[in-house]
Amino acid sequence: GIYVTATTSSSTSKFQYFGNELRVDLDEDNTEDSAFLLTSESSGTGRFYYVVVALNANDGYVGINGILIGDRIIPQSTEYKNNEIVVTYLDRQQDEPMSKKPSFKNYRYFKVMNSTLVEIIK
């Protein structure tokens, strides 16, 4: 797989390209950008999924911030509707244990604003 390493002031994480890629103009500059999912596994049993965006710039793609979607979820689709990135996935209800297989369909909405990925709460 394709791996990306991200370092913050407190730790270094290894991310793997998961897919569910979307290729549309996300920042209204008439160029095709990309939104997709990455995963990161912790030292425990967690597998964390993030939605990230790469904006098409003059000299290639530039990654901007990513947003955590969930731990041990089952991604379904990434779509572009009404100028928003819509990530659909299966998750657990709040009162269900992490050992239960995800079966609750959930939707999260995102948009690129001022070169930053933000979540739209609905």
Side-chain angles (χ1 to χ4, degrees):
I2 299 171
Y3 290 93
V4 177
T5 300
T7 303
T8 64
S9 58
S10 59
S11 66
T12 299
S13 298
K14 188 174 180 181
F15 294 90
Q16 183 172 4
Y17 177 81
F18 177 81
N20 288 19
E21 186 174 18
L22 173 67
R23 289 185 166 267
V24 294
D25 182 10
L26 297 170
D27 59 357
E28 300 176 354
D29 67 351
N30 297 315
T31 62
E32 184 179 79
D33 305 305
S34 178
F36 51 92
L37 301 183
L38 293 178
T39 61
S40 177
E41 295 189 23
S42 70
S43 56
T45 57
R47 184 172 198 191
F48 300 92
Y49 289 80
Y50 296 83
V51 60
V52 296
V53 168
L55 299 177
N56 195 339
N58 293 335
D59 54 352
Y61 285 88
V62 176
I64 60 175
N65 63 301
I67 297 176
L68 176 66
I69 297 174
D71 177 12
R72 290 173 271 179
I73 61 170
I74 301 174
Q76 300 289 295
S77 64
T78 303
E79 301 173 290
Y80 194 65
K81 295 180 181 177
N82 302 316
N83 295 321
E84 295 174 345
I85 301 163
V86 182
V87 177
T88 306
Y89 61 98
L90 298 180
D91 202 352
R92 293 159 207 80
Q93 300 277 10
Q94 281 189 320
D95 60 345
E96 293 178 328
M98 290 302 284
S99 58
K100 186 173 189 308
K101 183 177 179 184
S103 61
F104 173 70
K105 188 174 266 193
N106 204 358
Y107 302 87
R108 301 268 296 272
Y109 303 86
F110 306 92
K111 188 174 183 96
V112 175
M113 300 174 72
N114 300 317
S115 297
T116 302
L117 182 63
V118 296
E119 184 165 7
I120 308 299
I121 305 300
K122 295 192 177 194

